[in-house]
Amino acid sequence: MLKIPIAAWIANAAACLTGTYGDVTRQAEAAECSRQTVYDHAQKVQAAVAAEHSGGPTHAELIQENEHLRQENARLWDWLAQTIEFPASKEHEFTVTATAMGLSLNQVLTLLALILGTHARPSRSTIQRRIQAAGQKAACVLKPLDRQCRTLVLVGCLDEIFFHRRPILVGVEPTSMVWFLGQKADDRQGATWLKALNEWPALQDVVADAGTGLQAGINRVQQQRREGRLALLENGWDVFHTAQEARRVLRLSWSRVERLWEQAEVATRQVAQAQQQGRDARGVAAAARSAWTKAEAAFARCERSEAGWRIAHAALQVFRPDGQLNDRCWAAQQIASALPKLLGREWSKVCGFLRAPETLTFLDRLHRQLREAQPDEERLGALVRLWWLRRQRPRGSPSGPTAGSGHVAHLVQMVVCHHGDANWQESYRRVARVLRQTVRASSAVECMNSVLRMHQARHRTVSQGLLDLKRLYWNCRVFREGKRRGCCPYQHLGVKLPSYDFWSVLHMATGEAT
């Protein structure tokens, strides 16, 4: 706020710049200020006039520019409040990891726009180049990792899945869930599978469906090993697909029974209506009797088929219904008694699966591994019985304590095992490991196929590099729940790495992964 009027400033400047001797003193007295103030006003007025006529921006222009800068500064602060610290390295890691997890390119772009803003996010082509480079890195890193896994992968679940009519050969180790085979191929013929399986010479057992090309490839591997006098590759047919096909047939059969039953009920109502109206009901009554005959026959046939499937399904379990360990002889007898009940063309595929000797290969493998874990038959029987009893224990309920002998039967069996061998715990751990890791179905590879189907729905094309990137991420991904929680597939398999973090493994030197 000015204490001296502007006119007085100008008068002070005039007295100082153009006045004679004594004018400064007289002007200071007239303006009621000091002589120094007069000199200061003269300097300021002279500087203001010089600045106004120097050719630079005017005072109004400076004020307008200052206002623009204030508004821009306010917008920048608003943007800063909505963003996070996201350097280029983290942006790159986010892009590659999100793609490996299964997000599509559009989804990655949307998330980066939320984090960085639409104008600051990288372009679509930039993200594509990053993903392509990461896929090439993953392929290089997987080569030494696969060399480590070749001696560790002994059991494999095999299948194929199609991406735009091109097959992808998939192999999963069921105990660790390591995805050891993910190869995009031109076809799924036996020669293609033979080439893929020859990369894994330590494989002892495989579980697969009855696909023609897949089985042809397995048979050729078995033939090569026989000719080279190497350990044979055991081939077990997948129980999962057999049960799935049986459930499909039963569902269709019961649907047909329901339709016939509804038609018979409609015919019965027509008979009642004709009788009520006093019309001749003999024709509709004959039709109703015929309809009920068909419905009852279909119902009996379906019941017979369902009972036969229950018998066959029990033969595909590790334990019999009475708790005894299953074996090929008993299972074959059960299947033989069930097959006559599975009549009709719709059951031909299931019957073909059940007749195949490969369906019961898992029982041969189970008994061989159990004999290796505990050669003594009597002690082995006691340990297997204990393992079964421990899984039959009744669960406690909030309403009160569990009653009956079920909760103490395993304790009695533990005493029996102790009498047979004082150091029975070590043998029990070996037997339990065999029983726990028995593979009857290729559920592990079906799990992987479900993950790939999710990726298939989000990606227009899946290159081999993208498959390698996804395979590396899966094998480094830590399980969050279940019996494998806390570790990643590579850790469960026994692969030794300095770090199991996906991003660290992706940038790992080739020598470190060897």
Side-chain angles (χ1 to χ4, degrees):
M1 181 178 178
L2 295 175
K3 296 182 179 179
I4 299 176
I6 294 296
W9 281 50
I10 297 173
N12 289 344
C16 181
L17 296 174
T18 61
T20 59
Y21 181 80
D23 287 347
V24 172
T25 302
R26 287 190 290 273
Q27 179 60 29
E29 292 174 352
E32 297 181 349
C33 64
S34 65
R35 295 176 72 249
Q36 183 61 43
T37 301
V38 174
Y39 291 128
D40 291 342
H41 287 176
Q43 292 178 357
K44 292 179 180 180
V45 169
Q46 188 178 14
V49 173
E52 185 69 22
H53 297 280
S54 62
T58 63
H59 182 68
E61 292 172 345
L62 290 175
I63 291 176
Q64 185 178 8
E65 183 181 358
N66 186 37
E67 182 61 27
H68 288 319
L69 291 174
R70 286 177 180 275
Q71 293 176 0
E72 182 180 358
N73 189 36
R75 286 195 299 271
L76 290 174
W77 277 106
D78 290 340
W79 290 344
L80 181 62
Q82 299 174 11
T83 58
I84 61 174
E85 185 179 1
F86 207 64
S89 59
K90 280 294 179 185
E91 176 192 319
H92 192 178
E93 181 180 354
F94 175 86
T95 301
V96 174
T97 305
T99 304
M101 292 175 67
L103 271 68
S104 67
L105 187 59
N106 288 333
Q107 290 171 327
V108 174
L109 285 169
T110 301
L111 292 176
L112 286 174
L114 290 174
I115 298 171
L116 300 173
T118 305
H119 301 289
R121 75 177 185 186
S123 65
R124 189 183 191 90
S125 58
T126 301
I127 292 180
Q128 286 177 330
R129 288 194 297 270
R130 289 176 179 175
I131 295 171
Q132 186 176 6
Q136 294 171 354
K137 276 187 179 180
C140 295
V141 172
L142 280 172
K143 289 180 180 178
L145 288 174
D146 286 346
R147 283 197 295 270
Q148 280 199 63
C149 294
R150 282 193 182 102
T151 59
L152 301 173
V153 175
L154 307 179
V155 181
C157 297
L158 309 176
D159 200 0
E160 64 265 334
I161 184 173
F162 285 85
F163 273 61
H164 300 286
R165 298 184 180 181
R166 283 197 62 184
I168 293 177
L169 312 184
V170 182
V172 178
E173 201 282 326
T175 303
S176 62
M177 290 298 293
V178 164
W179 180 7
F180 68 87
L181 177 61
Q183 178 182 328
K184 195 172 184 179
D186 294 326
D187 56 63
R188 50 172 177 163
Q189 301 301 320
T192 305
W193 273 108
L194 173 65
K195 183 179 178 181
L197 293 177
N198 279 339
E199 297 292 325
W200 301 91
L203 268 177
Q204 299 175 358
D205 308 295
V206 292
V207 181
D209 59 24
T212 305
L214 177 52
Q215 289 300 320
I218 294 172
N219 291 336
R220 292 180 66 175
V221 172
Q222 291 175 323
Q223 182 180 355
Q224 283 187 354
R225 293 192 179 186
R226 277 194 297 267
E227 293 173 354
R229 295 186 177 182
L230 302 174
L232 291 181
L233 178 66
E234 286 193 346
N235 178 23
W237 280 19
D238 178 32
V239 174
F240 169 80
H241 286 90
T242 305
Q244 185 184 47
E245 177 64 16
R247 287 193 295 268
R248 185 190 70 84
V249 174
L250 285 173
R251 184 171 61 251
L252 294 177
S253 299
W254 281 116
S255 297
R256 186 164 54 250
V257 170
E258 289 178 359
R259 287 195 301 271
L260 291 174
W261 202 274
E262 289 172 356
Q263 291 172 6
E265 288 180 338
V266 170
T268 301
R269 287 196 294 270
Q270 290 176 350
V271 172
Q273 185 177 9
Q275 292 175 346
Q276 185 178 7
Q277 295 175 354
R279 293 184 287 106
D280 186 3
R282 287 176 295 179
V284 291
R289 286 193 299 271
S290 177
W292 278 112
T293 301
K294 291 180 181 179
E296 290 169 357
F299 185 88
R301 186 167 56 251
C302 197
E303 274 195 325
R304 185 169 58 252
S305 298
E306 189 171 33
W309 168 243
R310 281 198 296 267
I311 296 172
H313 190 252
L316 303 179
Q317 308 303 312
V318 175
F319 286 90
R320 305 177 190 175
D322 60 357
Q324 297 298 314
L325 189 65
N326 196 1
D327 57 63
R328 178 179 282 273
C329 181
W330 183 87
Q333 291 175 358
Q334 293 296 107
I335 290 175
S337 64
L339 287 176
K341 301 177 183 296
L342 304 178
L343 301 176
R345 292 180 56 187
E346 63 271 18
W347 285 100
S348 59
K349 190 174 182 179
V350 176
C351 291
F353 290 158
L354 294 175
R355 290 192 183 98
E358 292 85 357
T359 298
L360 301 179
T361 300
F362 76 95
L363 292 174
D364 301 333
R365 182 169 59 246
L366 171 63
H367 282 271
R368 187 188 69 250
Q369 293 175 345
L370 286 175
R371 284 193 298 269
E372 293 172 357
Q374 175 54 263
D376 187 275
E377 291 290 337
E378 184 177 353
R379 293 176 182 175
L380 175 60
L383 294 172
V384 170
R385 182 69 177 174
L386 172 61
W387 191 87
W388 182 80
L389 287 172
R390 292 187 66 178
R391 277 144 188 81
Q392 305 303 312
R393 288 177 293 176
R395 303 299 179 186
S397 60
S399 58
T402 305
S405 61
H407 65 289
V408 296
H410 69 286
L411 301 176
V412 177
Q413 188 65 25
M414 288 172 65
V415 176
V416 173
C417 294
H418 181 74
H419 285 322
D421 182 7
N423 298 321
W424 64 273
Q425 291 92 342
E426 182 61 31
S427 298
Y428 177 75
R429 279 192 286 270
R430 293 195 300 269
V431 169
R433 188 181 305 113
V434 171
L435 291 169
R436 189 169 55 249
Q437 296 179 359
T438 299
V439 181
R440 298 180 300 121
S442 59
S443 305
V445 76
E446 293 298 332
C447 169
M448 188 56 57
N449 285 349
S450 66
V451 174
L452 287 173
R453 288 187 187 98
M454 175 189 69
H455 293 192
Q456 183 183 29
R458 294 175 180 172
H459 296 281
R460 182 172 298 176
T461 58
V462 177
S463 63
Q464 184 61 51
L466 189 57
L467 270 176
D468 292 336
L469 186 66
K470 293 178 183 298
R471 182 157 75 93
L472 182 63
Y473 174 78
W474 173 270
N475 290 337
C476 296
R477 170 184 171 272
V478 176
F479 292 102
R480 290 179 294 178
E481 55 187 7
K483 61 184 180 181
R484 301 181 184 90
R485 66 180 176 272
C487 295
C488 69
Y490 274 150
Q491 288 174 287
H492 284 294
L493 187 63
V495 177
K496 302 301 181 184
L497 295 174
S499 172
Y500 296 94
D501 175 69
F502 164 69
W503 192 246
S504 302
V505 173
L506 183 63
H507 291 81
M508 190 180 296
T510 306
E512 295 180 69
T514 304

